[in-house]
Amino acid sequence: RTETPRTLCLWCFSGSVAMRELREREVRSVIITSGTLSPFEGTIEAFGIPFPVVLENSHVIDTRRQLWGGVLTCGPESVPLNACYDRRGDPAYIKDLGRAVAFFAGQVPDGMLLAFQSYAMKETVIRFWRQTGVLEEITHAKPVFEEPRFHSEMKLTMDNYNSALTADGRGAILAAVCRGKLCEGIDFTDRQCRMVLMIGIPYPPKNDMRVTAP
């Protein structure tokens, strides 16, 4: 056949469908635990069934004294750090982004996490840094380890990263991907991550059928 094959996809965008089925089957107890369930009101509404017992523990740190968040609008050369689709391939942006990372790498102790929007963006940025010498500036302060695409390589990457944290006192940088293997579900404790640099906002692709579907 010469025609392009067509695929029919049936997607469920609501967890309430499965949760209501569990209730209809008279499951006695459902325990849902996560560090990202808050705010509970929205979560419970999304699940579509009541949760009469809710437990929320206090944070392991004092967020008023031990946590800071901010937005870095430009790099050391005053180039706007705008990671939108139209600008994220701009050489001036990528170069000044690297210089900003190099600055923080020289100031922040122990481990740092770079969270990119996608694997493609991570690879494009690090390739540019490597070709222009910016990566050398960064690794002068801390060695850089990249999140691999394959699960089989994950353990070796994390072992090398953790070893580098204590090797010479400089710490290390882990370049990861939002919604990837490292940014979701892994607990970076103490010296494993003293700072997270979010590079852009991880919006889903606007042309993804899951986004454009009515």
Side-chain angles (χ1 to χ4, degrees):
R1 293 184 177 182
T2 58
E3 300 89 353
T4 301
R6 296 187 179 185
T7 302
L8 177 63
C9 300
L10 300 177
W11 294 315
C12 178
F13 293 100
S14 175
S16 63
V17 176
M19 298 302 291
R20 283 196 295 266
E21 182 178 349
L22 289 177
R23 184 172 61 177
E24 291 169 0
R25 296 189 178 204
E26 299 183 352
V27 174
R28 294 186 60 183
S29 299
V30 176
I31 302 176
I32 299 176
T33 63
S34 175
T36 54
L37 293 177
S38 182
F40 285 115
E41 294 77 9
T43 301
I44 293 174
E45 182 180 354
F47 283 142
I49 63 174
F51 283 84
V53 180
V54 175
L55 172 65
E56 182 177 13
N57 292 322
S58 58
H59 206 285
V60 295
I61 66 171
D62 185 346
T63 56
R64 294 170 297 179
R65 297 190 305 108
Q66 296 175 270
L67 180 66
W68 178 85
V71 177
L72 189 64
T73 59
C74 60
E77 300 297 324
S78 299
V79 177
L81 297 181
N82 184 347
C84 69
Y85 182 80
D86 294 335
R87 296 291 305 277
R88 64 188 183 192
D90 180 11
Y93 157 71
I94 300 177
K95 190 172 185 178
D96 221 23
L97 172 65
R99 286 174 173 165
V101 172
F103 171 79
F104 285 118
Q107 304 297 318
V108 176
D110 303 325
M112 287 176 52
L113 181 66
L114 300 184
F116 289 90
Q117 293 168 299
S118 65
Y119 284 102
M121 183 184 182
K122 174 179 72 68
E123 292 166 0
T124 297
V125 168
I126 293 180
R127 185 187 309 115
F128 181 91
W129 288 349
R130 185 176 291 111
Q131 294 171 347
T132 57
V134 176
L135 186 62
E136 186 176 352
E137 296 180 33
I138 298 172
T139 55
H140 181 73
K142 296 182 189 293
V144 178
F145 298 87
E146 293 187 56
E147 174 181 332
R149 282 183 176 267
F150 304 105
H151 283 282
S152 59
E153 303 170 357
M154 186 65 64
K155 184 179 185 305
L156 178 61
T157 299
M158 289 304 300
D159 287 345
N160 291 337
Y161 173 72
N162 288 324
S163 296
L165 291 176
T166 57
D168 54 14
R170 293 186 300 156
I173 294 174
L174 189 59
V177 176
C178 296
R179 299 188 300 271
K181 306 175 189 66
L182 294 177
C183 288
E184 300 289 339
I186 291 184
D187 182 20
F188 290 93
T189 59
D190 301 326
R191 68 185 313 168
Q192 280 187 311
C193 184
R194 300 297 188 187
M195 183 178 194
V196 177
L197 285 177
M198 285 283 298
I199 300 175
I201 301 175
Y203 293 122
K206 65 177 183 178
N207 294 324
D208 190 310
M209 286 190 293
R210 294 174 178 84
V211 176
T212 58

